[in-house]
Amino acid sequence: MTIQEKYEEAKRVYRELGVDTDAALETLKHVPISMHCWQGDDVMGFEGATELTGGIQATGDYPGRARTPEELMMDIDQALRLIPGKHRLNLHASYAIFEDGKKADRNALKPEHFKKWVEFAKARGLGLDFNPTFFSHPLASPFTLSSPDENIRRFWIDHGKACLRIAEYFAGELGGQSLVNIWIPDGYKDIPADRLGPRARFKDSLDQILSIGYDKSKVLVAIESKVFGIGMESYTVGSHEFCMNYAAKNGILCLLDNGHYHPTEMVSDKISSMLLFNEKLALHVTRPVRWDSDHVVIFDDELKEIAKEIVRNGALDRVIIGLDYFDASINRVSAWVLGMRNMQKALLYALLTPDKQLAKLQNEGNYTELLVRQEELKFYPFADVWNYFCQCNGVPAGDAWFKEIRKYEQEVLALRK
Ligand code: RNT
Ligand code: ZN
């Protein structure tokens, strides 16, 4: 049976449930996912950094890490060839490209330092999102926007402002909106003597950054909270409560990273509450294994649950989905392709769920049937719909994409020594 024939059969089976597979595929095709550039080079960037700081870690030494803008762009292209649909690219400030050796420090970054990225994005029809980089820098150890040293704090405030201008430039050149996500690593290893002071300074720094009068129709600003980092186990300045309150009061977005909460606390359960009180919400989809380990996103229960919350609440255009992980122990292009395709699979799985019927069972108190139906759905011919989606969008279906990865590894990645 061909992919098409299998799809026709799947379509019939889902139709019996009241699910329109054609409509699901049409919707999925238009959901952009922001692919994080930093999976390609273990979050090193192009400033000559030799280590990753800020309490995050990319472990492993798989060969083929992208070392230059050209290599990273090549690898991104290879990944995008294997991912269905049109997407976005998420950059960090540390990926500025300095031409003619003219370097600029983080507080002096300008749109021109991202010209090459804009050209790259334009040629491929990608949108660009952005992140100021408050780590892997001599002045970032260990405090940035909450630093008690006013000179250091000023430096990072200027960095934040510079990044808003760069995002404005992205949106101006590429159309649409650009998301700027602020995450700072600031925190304490051990029990602090003052919890309020750092947070008050962080609050003031954010106020100053946002005061520059950026174009709100082009730039969406988010802040990302965190519960702990390596070396910041006892206290993080940008806790969830801090970020949620700051965002609510100042009309910016919350960005929820599903590696940034206590291990049994689920981001999928937070989405509905955020949607009731916010027009938009941003996500960093990752996979925490026992800690914020940033493993590659797989098609697991929490990913499906996150996708369901977005889809069944009609929030595909309100939730900005970005990926955030960095695994250096496996082929990095595979890591991107897997994560992106899995995110899309989860969205498709959600789009193929008869939500209204299930909600009805819930409201009627018919929990037995609800559970039975939810379980049976797992064995519906979902893969046949996915494969057809890949085929329609001109990318390899099933595991056929991996052959391309092998080839790329032999011909390109293995030569990087
Ligand atoms: C760190 C945050 C943050 C970073 C990226 C590189 O814990 O998740 O989003 O991973 O900015
Ligand atoms: Zn994150």
PDB file of all heavy atoms in Angstrom, residues 38 43 52 54-56 92 131-132 135 181 183 224-226 228 255 257 259-260 284 286 292 294 324-326, ligand 1:
ATOM      1  N   TRP A  38      21.023  27.259  18.571  1.00  0.00           N
ATOM      2  CA  TRP A  38      22.099  26.829  19.470  1.00  0.00           C
ATOM      3  C   TRP A  38      22.252  25.326  19.626  1.00  0.00           C
ATOM      4  O   TRP A  38      23.216  24.871  20.224  1.00  0.00           O
ATOM      5  CB  TRP A  38      21.985  27.530  20.827  1.00  0.00           C
ATOM      6  CG  TRP A  38      20.664  27.450  21.545  1.00  0.00           C
ATOM      7  CD1 TRP A  38      20.279  26.504  22.454  1.00  0.00           C
ATOM      8  CD2 TRP A  38      19.561  28.384  21.467  1.00  0.00           C
ATOM      9  NE1 TRP A  38      19.018  26.777  22.922  1.00  0.00           N
ATOM     10  CE2 TRP A  38      18.550  27.925  22.344  1.00  0.00           C
ATOM     11  CE3 TRP A  38      19.333  29.564  20.755  1.00  0.00           C
ATOM     12  CZ2 TRP A  38      17.331  28.606  22.512  1.00  0.00           C
ATOM     13  CZ3 TRP A  38      18.125  30.237  20.928  1.00  0.00           C
ATOM     14  CH2 TRP A  38      17.145  29.762  21.786  1.00  0.00           C
ATOM     15  N   VAL A  43      25.693  25.711  21.963  1.00  0.00           N
ATOM     16  CA  VAL A  43      25.487  27.047  22.556  1.00  0.00           C
ATOM     17  C   VAL A  43      26.784  27.861  22.646  1.00  0.00           C
ATOM     18  O   VAL A  43      26.940  28.686  23.552  1.00  0.00           O
ATOM     19  CB  VAL A  43      24.811  26.988  23.961  1.00  0.00           C
ATOM     20  CG1 VAL A  43      23.936  28.228  24.203  1.00  0.00           C
ATOM     21  CG2 VAL A  43      23.960  25.736  24.169  1.00  0.00           C
ATOM     22  N   LEU A  52      30.600  27.316  28.177  1.00  0.00           N
ATOM     23  CA  LEU A  52      29.226  27.754  28.339  1.00  0.00           C
ATOM     24  C   LEU A  52      29.018  28.016  29.822  1.00  0.00           C
ATOM     25  O   LEU A  52      29.248  27.137  30.643  1.00  0.00           O
ATOM     26  CB  LEU A  52      28.302  26.627  27.844  1.00  0.00           C
ATOM     27  CG  LEU A  52      26.797  26.794  28.009  1.00  0.00           C
ATOM     28  CD1 LEU A  52      26.300  28.041  27.318  1.00  0.00           C
ATOM     29  CD2 LEU A  52      26.089  25.559  27.439  1.00  0.00           C
ATOM     30  N   GLY A  54      26.541  30.177  33.051  1.00  0.00           N
ATOM     31  CA  GLY A  54      25.148  30.500  33.340  1.00  0.00           C
ATOM     32  C   GLY A  54      24.373  29.326  33.923  1.00  0.00           C
ATOM     33  O   GLY A  54      23.149  29.337  33.960  1.00  0.00           O
ATOM     34  N   GLY A  55      25.122  28.296  34.331  1.00  0.00           N
ATOM     35  CA  GLY A  55      24.447  27.165  34.974  1.00  0.00           C
ATOM     36  C   GLY A  55      23.722  26.247  34.015  1.00  0.00           C
ATOM     37  O   GLY A  55      22.839  25.495  34.409  1.00  0.00           O
ATOM     38  N   ILE A  56      24.083  26.326  32.735  1.00  0.00           N
ATOM     39  CA  ILE A  56      23.509  25.391  31.765  1.00  0.00           C
ATOM     40  C   ILE A  56      24.661  24.586  31.162  1.00  0.00           C
ATOM     41  O   ILE A  56      25.811  25.028  31.213  1.00  0.00           O
ATOM     42  CB  ILE A  56      22.690  26.121  30.657  1.00  0.00           C
ATOM     43  CG1 ILE A  56      23.496  27.240  29.981  1.00  0.00           C
ATOM     44  CG2 ILE A  56      21.419  26.702  31.250  1.00  0.00           C
ATOM     45  CD1 ILE A  56      22.756  27.987  28.880  1.00  0.00           C
ATOM     46  N   HIS A  92      20.488  33.711  19.186  1.00  0.00           N
ATOM     47  CA  HIS A  92      20.974  34.326  20.422  1.00  0.00           C
ATOM     48  C   HIS A  92      21.924  35.447  20.016  1.00  0.00           C
ATOM     49  O   HIS A  92      22.579  35.379  18.967  1.00  0.00           O
ATOM     50  CB  HIS A  92      21.742  33.291  21.261  1.00  0.00           C
ATOM     51  CG  HIS A  92      21.104  33.019  22.574  1.00  0.00           C
ATOM     52  ND1 HIS A  92      21.172  33.922  23.614  1.00  0.00           N
ATOM     53  CD2 HIS A  92      20.378  31.964  23.023  1.00  0.00           C
ATOM     54  CE1 HIS A  92      20.518  33.416  24.652  1.00  0.00           C
ATOM     55  NE2 HIS A  92      20.019  32.231  24.319  1.00  0.00           N
ATOM     56  N   ASN A 131      17.185  36.374  21.257  1.00  0.00           N
ATOM     57  CA  ASN A 131      17.455  36.262  22.696  1.00  0.00           C
ATOM     58  C   ASN A 131      18.696  37.041  23.055  1.00  0.00           C
ATOM     59  O   ASN A 131      19.766  36.770  22.499  1.00  0.00           O
ATOM     60  CB  ASN A 131      17.764  34.804  23.072  1.00  0.00           C
ATOM     61  CG  ASN A 131      16.653  33.851  22.697  1.00  0.00           C
ATOM     62  OD1 ASN A 131      15.850  33.488  23.527  1.00  0.00           O
ATOM     63  ND2 ASN A 131      16.597  33.478  21.432  1.00  0.00           N
ATOM     64  N   PRO A 132      18.595  37.997  23.963  1.00  0.00           N
ATOM     65  CA  PRO A 132      19.832  38.574  24.484  1.00  0.00           C
ATOM     66  C   PRO A 132      20.613  37.453  25.181  1.00  0.00           C
ATOM     67  O   PRO A 132      20.006  36.522  25.716  1.00  0.00           O
ATOM     68  CB  PRO A 132      19.352  39.619  25.495  1.00  0.00           C
ATOM     69  CG  PRO A 132      17.880  39.463  25.636  1.00  0.00           C
ATOM     70  CD  PRO A 132      17.387  38.555  24.569  1.00  0.00           C
ATOM     71  N   PHE A 135      24.943  35.271  29.331  1.00  0.00           N
ATOM     72  CA  PHE A 135      25.844  34.254  29.895  1.00  0.00           C
ATOM     73  C   PHE A 135      27.043  34.106  28.953  1.00  0.00           C
ATOM     74  O   PHE A 135      27.097  34.764  27.906  1.00  0.00           O
ATOM     75  CB  PHE A 135      25.107  32.916  30.086  1.00  0.00           C
ATOM     76  CG  PHE A 135      24.390  32.417  28.851  1.00  0.00           C
ATOM     77  CD1 PHE A 135      25.063  31.721  27.865  1.00  0.00           C
ATOM     78  CD2 PHE A 135      23.035  32.674  28.659  1.00  0.00           C
ATOM     79  CE1 PHE A 135      24.402  31.269  26.718  1.00  0.00           C
ATOM     80  CE2 PHE A 135      22.371  32.225  27.519  1.00  0.00           C
ATOM     81  CZ  PHE A 135      23.065  31.530  26.546  1.00  0.00           C
ATOM     82  N   ASN A 181      13.240  36.984  23.877  1.00  0.00           N
ATOM     83  CA  ASN A 181      13.072  36.300  25.158  1.00  0.00           C
ATOM     84  C   ASN A 181      14.227  36.616  26.102  1.00  0.00           C
ATOM     85  O   ASN A 181      15.392  36.411  25.770  1.00  0.00           O
ATOM     86  CB  ASN A 181      13.006  34.786  24.924  1.00  0.00           C
ATOM     87  CG  ASN A 181      12.973  34.025  26.225  1.00  0.00           C
ATOM     88  OD1 ASN A 181      12.165  34.332  27.103  1.00  0.00           O
ATOM     89  ND2 ASN A 181      13.849  33.061  26.380  1.00  0.00           N
ATOM     90  N   TRP A 183      16.143  35.763  29.339  1.00  0.00           N
ATOM     91  CA  TRP A 183      16.420  34.816  30.430  1.00  0.00           C
ATOM     92  C   TRP A 183      17.774  35.182  31.028  1.00  0.00           C
ATOM     93  O   TRP A 183      18.747  35.356  30.303  1.00  0.00           O
ATOM     94  CB  TRP A 183      16.469  33.367  29.934  1.00  0.00           C
ATOM     95  CG  TRP A 183      16.977  32.463  31.006  1.00  0.00           C
ATOM     96  CD1 TRP A 183      16.315  32.087  32.138  1.00  0.00           C
ATOM     97  CD2 TRP A 183      18.298  31.901  31.107  1.00  0.00           C
ATOM     98  NE1 TRP A 183      17.130  31.312  32.934  1.00  0.00           N
ATOM     99  CE2 TRP A 183      18.348  31.187  32.326  1.00  0.00           C
ATOM    100  CE3 TRP A 183      19.437  31.933  30.301  1.00  0.00           C
ATOM    101  CZ2 TRP A 183      19.490  30.498  32.743  1.00  0.00           C
ATOM    102  CZ3 TRP A 183      20.585  31.255  30.726  1.00  0.00           C
ATOM    103  CH2 TRP A 183      20.606  30.539  31.925  1.00  0.00           C
ATOM    104  N   GLU A 224      11.609  34.621  30.736  1.00  0.00           N
ATOM    105  CA  GLU A 224      11.630  33.177  31.016  1.00  0.00           C
ATOM    106  C   GLU A 224      12.110  32.932  32.439  1.00  0.00           C
ATOM    107  O   GLU A 224      13.200  33.364  32.812  1.00  0.00           O
ATOM    108  CB  GLU A 224      12.587  32.502  30.013  1.00  0.00           C
ATOM    109  CG  GLU A 224      12.752  31.012  30.224  1.00  0.00           C
ATOM    110  CD  GLU A 224      13.739  30.385  29.234  1.00  0.00           C
ATOM    111  OE1 GLU A 224      14.442  31.128  28.506  1.00  0.00           O
ATOM    112  OE2 GLU A 224      13.820  29.144  29.200  1.00  0.00           O
ATOM    113  N   SER A 225      11.317  32.262  33.207  1.00  0.00           N
ATOM    114  CA  SER A 225      11.679  31.992  34.602  1.00  0.00           C
ATOM    115  C   SER A 225      12.445  30.673  34.714  1.00  0.00           C
ATOM    116  O   SER A 225      12.526  29.904  33.762  1.00  0.00           O
ATOM    117  CB  SER A 225      10.413  31.885  35.447  1.00  0.00           C
ATOM    118  OG  SER A 225       9.703  30.712  35.089  1.00  0.00           O
ATOM    119  N   LYS A 226      12.977  30.456  35.906  1.00  0.00           N
ATOM    120  CA  LYS A 226      13.697  29.198  36.135  1.00  0.00           C
ATOM    121  C   LYS A 226      13.720  28.905  37.621  1.00  0.00           C
ATOM    122  O   LYS A 226      13.754  29.820  38.430  1.00  0.00           O
ATOM    123  CB  LYS A 226      15.112  29.335  35.590  1.00  0.00           C
ATOM    124  CG  LYS A 226      15.889  28.047  35.561  1.00  0.00           C
ATOM    125  CD  LYS A 226      17.086  28.128  34.638  1.00  0.00           C
ATOM    126  CE  LYS A 226      17.829  26.816  34.664  1.00  0.00           C
ATOM    127  NZ  LYS A 226      18.873  26.746  33.673  1.00  0.00           N
ATOM    128  N   PHE A 228      16.015  26.603  39.136  1.00  0.00           N
ATOM    129  CA  PHE A 228      17.398  26.450  39.610  1.00  0.00           C
ATOM    130  C   PHE A 228      18.325  26.268  38.418  1.00  0.00           C
ATOM    131  O   PHE A 228      17.885  25.998  37.293  1.00  0.00           O
ATOM    132  CB  PHE A 228      17.532  25.236  40.537  1.00  0.00           C
ATOM    133  CG  PHE A 228      17.778  23.954  39.787  1.00  0.00           C
ATOM    134  CD1 PHE A 228      19.073  23.450  39.663  1.00  0.00           C
ATOM    135  CD2 PHE A 228      16.749  23.288  39.163  1.00  0.00           C
ATOM    136  CE1 PHE A 228      19.307  22.294  38.927  1.00  0.00           C
ATOM    137  CE2 PHE A 228      16.985  22.127  38.431  1.00  0.00           C
ATOM    138  CZ  PHE A 228      18.266  21.622  38.312  1.00  0.00           C
ATOM    139  N   LEU A 255       7.420  33.370  29.180  1.00  0.00           N
ATOM    140  CA  LEU A 255       7.891  32.219  28.418  1.00  0.00           C
ATOM    141  C   LEU A 255       8.087  31.072  29.400  1.00  0.00           C
ATOM    142  O   LEU A 255       8.831  31.192  30.372  1.00  0.00           O
ATOM    143  CB  LEU A 255       9.189  32.514  27.670  1.00  0.00           C
ATOM    144  CG  LEU A 255       9.662  31.345  26.778  1.00  0.00           C
ATOM    145  CD1 LEU A 255      10.307  31.853  25.487  1.00  0.00           C
ATOM    146  CD2 LEU A 255      10.609  30.413  27.512  1.00  0.00           C
ATOM    147  N   ASP A 257       9.446  27.448  30.046  1.00  0.00           N
ATOM    148  CA  ASP A 257      10.345  26.391  29.560  1.00  0.00           C
ATOM    149  C   ASP A 257      10.021  25.163  30.397  1.00  0.00           C
ATOM    150  O   ASP A 257      10.099  25.223  31.636  1.00  0.00           O
ATOM    151  CB  ASP A 257      11.801  26.854  29.746  1.00  0.00           C
ATOM    152  CG  ASP A 257      12.830  25.819  29.318  1.00  0.00           C
ATOM    153  OD1 ASP A 257      12.691  24.639  29.691  1.00  0.00           O
ATOM    154  OD2 ASP A 257      13.809  26.194  28.638  1.00  0.00           O
ATOM    155  N   GLY A 259      11.548  22.712  31.189  1.00  0.00           N
ATOM    156  CA  GLY A 259      12.623  22.171  32.016  1.00  0.00           C
ATOM    157  C   GLY A 259      12.852  23.017  33.266  1.00  0.00           C
ATOM    158  O   GLY A 259      13.753  22.729  34.054  1.00  0.00           O
ATOM    159  N   HIS A 260      12.051  24.046  33.444  1.00  0.00           N
ATOM    160  CA  HIS A 260      12.351  25.027  34.486  1.00  0.00           C
ATOM    161  C   HIS A 260      11.432  24.983  35.695  1.00  0.00           C
ATOM    162  O   HIS A 260      11.275  25.974  36.403  1.00  0.00           O
ATOM    163  CB  HIS A 260      12.318  26.432  33.888  1.00  0.00           C
ATOM    164  CG  HIS A 260      13.478  26.695  32.992  1.00  0.00           C
ATOM    165  ND1 HIS A 260      13.803  27.940  32.527  1.00  0.00           N
ATOM    166  CD2 HIS A 260      14.419  25.862  32.483  1.00  0.00           C
ATOM    167  CE1 HIS A 260      14.873  27.871  31.752  1.00  0.00           C
ATOM    168  NE2 HIS A 260      15.264  26.617  31.707  1.00  0.00           N
ATOM    169  N   HIS A 284       9.297  27.361  25.643  1.00  0.00           N
ATOM    170  CA  HIS A 284      10.515  26.659  25.255  1.00  0.00           C
ATOM    171  C   HIS A 284      10.214  25.200  25.503  1.00  0.00           C
ATOM    172  O   HIS A 284      10.069  24.771  26.654  1.00  0.00           O
ATOM    173  CB  HIS A 284      11.709  27.073  26.124  1.00  0.00           C
ATOM    174  CG  HIS A 284      12.489  28.191  25.542  1.00  0.00           C
ATOM    175  ND1 HIS A 284      13.619  28.704  26.150  1.00  0.00           N
ATOM    176  CD2 HIS A 284      12.321  28.897  24.392  1.00  0.00           C
ATOM    177  CE1 HIS A 284      14.100  29.680  25.391  1.00  0.00           C
ATOM    178  NE2 HIS A 284      13.335  29.824  24.338  1.00  0.00           N
ATOM    179  N   THR A 286      11.303  21.518  25.686  1.00  0.00           N
ATOM    180  CA  THR A 286      12.547  20.808  25.911  1.00  0.00           C
ATOM    181  C   THR A 286      12.216  19.472  26.556  1.00  0.00           C
ATOM    182  O   THR A 286      11.045  19.114  26.660  1.00  0.00           O
ATOM    183  CB  THR A 286      13.474  21.664  26.806  1.00  0.00           C
ATOM    184  OG1 THR A 286      14.752  21.057  26.883  1.00  0.00           O
ATOM    185  CG2 THR A 286      12.915  21.808  28.225  1.00  0.00           C
ATOM    186  N   ASP A 292      17.095  20.042  34.572  1.00  0.00           N
ATOM    187  CA  ASP A 292      16.932  20.806  33.337  1.00  0.00           C
ATOM    188  C   ASP A 292      18.009  20.409  32.334  1.00  0.00           C
ATOM    189  O   ASP A 292      18.862  21.209  31.965  1.00  0.00           O
ATOM    190  CB  ASP A 292      17.028  22.304  33.691  1.00  0.00           C
ATOM    191  CG  ASP A 292      16.833  23.197  32.480  1.00  0.00           C
ATOM    192  OD1 ASP A 292      16.109  22.800  31.559  1.00  0.00           O
ATOM    193  OD2 ASP A 292      17.420  24.295  32.460  1.00  0.00           O
ATOM    194  N   ASP A 294      17.933  19.467  29.207  1.00  0.00           N
ATOM    195  CA  ASP A 294      17.808  19.838  27.800  1.00  0.00           C
ATOM    196  C   ASP A 294      18.120  18.695  26.852  1.00  0.00           C
ATOM    197  O   ASP A 294      18.897  18.836  25.913  1.00  0.00           O
ATOM    198  CB  ASP A 294      18.659  21.083  27.495  1.00  0.00           C
ATOM    199  CG  ASP A 294      18.044  22.331  28.118  1.00  0.00           C
ATOM    200  OD1 ASP A 294      16.952  22.723  27.705  1.00  0.00           O
ATOM    201  OD2 ASP A 294      18.661  22.901  29.042  1.00  0.00           O
ATOM    202  N   ASP A 324      14.044  24.346  22.808  1.00  0.00           N
ATOM    203  CA  ASP A 324      15.246  24.728  23.553  1.00  0.00           C
ATOM    204  C   ASP A 324      15.889  23.500  24.184  1.00  0.00           C
ATOM    205  O   ASP A 324      15.456  23.035  25.231  1.00  0.00           O
ATOM    206  CB  ASP A 324      14.891  25.755  24.641  1.00  0.00           C
ATOM    207  CG  ASP A 324      16.113  26.161  25.443  1.00  0.00           C
ATOM    208  OD1 ASP A 324      17.239  25.936  24.973  1.00  0.00           O
ATOM    209  OD2 ASP A 324      15.953  26.710  26.556  1.00  0.00           O
ATOM    210  N   TYR A 325      16.879  22.956  23.491  1.00  0.00           N
ATOM    211  CA  TYR A 325      17.673  21.875  24.069  1.00  0.00           C
ATOM    212  C   TYR A 325      19.013  21.884  23.362  1.00  0.00           C
ATOM    213  O   TYR A 325      19.177  22.517  22.314  1.00  0.00           O
ATOM    214  CB  TYR A 325      16.973  20.507  23.906  1.00  0.00           C
ATOM    215  CG  TYR A 325      16.514  20.198  22.508  1.00  0.00           C
ATOM    216  CD1 TYR A 325      17.418  19.747  21.534  1.00  0.00           C
ATOM    217  CD2 TYR A 325      15.195  20.393  22.132  1.00  0.00           C
ATOM    218  CE1 TYR A 325      16.998  19.474  20.244  1.00  0.00           C
ATOM    219  CE2 TYR A 325      14.770  20.124  20.830  1.00  0.00           C
ATOM    220  CZ  TYR A 325      15.673  19.680  19.895  1.00  0.00           C
ATOM    221  OH  TYR A 325      15.265  19.426  18.617  1.00  0.00           O
ATOM    222  N   PHE A 326      19.977  21.220  23.962  1.00  0.00           N
ATOM    223  CA  PHE A 326      21.304  21.193  23.332  1.00  0.00           C
ATOM    224  C   PHE A 326      22.006  19.921  23.747  1.00  0.00           C
ATOM    225  O   PHE A 326      22.555  19.822  24.815  1.00  0.00           O
ATOM    226  CB  PHE A 326      22.137  22.425  23.687  1.00  0.00           C
ATOM    227  CG  PHE A 326      21.722  23.155  24.942  1.00  0.00           C
ATOM    228  CD1 PHE A 326      22.387  22.930  26.143  1.00  0.00           C
ATOM    229  CD2 PHE A 326      20.677  24.068  24.916  1.00  0.00           C
ATOM    230  CE1 PHE A 326      22.018  23.610  27.297  1.00  0.00           C
ATOM    231  CE2 PHE A 326      20.292  24.741  26.075  1.00  0.00           C
ATOM    232  CZ  PHE A 326      20.960  24.513  27.267  1.00  0.00           C
TER     233      PHE A 326
HETATM  234  C1  RNT B   1      18.319  28.211  30.241  1.00  0.00           C
HETATM  235  C2  RNT B   1      17.170  28.676  29.448  1.00  0.00           C
HETATM  236  C3  RNT B   1      17.498  29.434  28.196  1.00  0.00           C
HETATM  237  C4  RNT B   1      18.659  28.838  27.424  1.00  0.00           C
HETATM  238  C5  RNT B   1      18.844  29.410  26.040  1.00  0.00           C
HETATM  239  C6  RNT B   1      20.158  29.032  25.458  1.00  0.00           C
HETATM  240  O1  RNT B   1      17.983  27.350  31.243  1.00  0.00           O
HETATM  241  O2  RNT B   1      16.333  27.613  29.154  1.00  0.00           O
HETATM  242  O3  RNT B   1      16.376  29.567  27.428  1.00  0.00           O
HETATM  243  O4  RNT B   1      18.536  27.459  27.311  1.00  0.00           O
HETATM  244  O5  RNT B   1      18.634  30.746  26.058  1.00  0.00           O
END
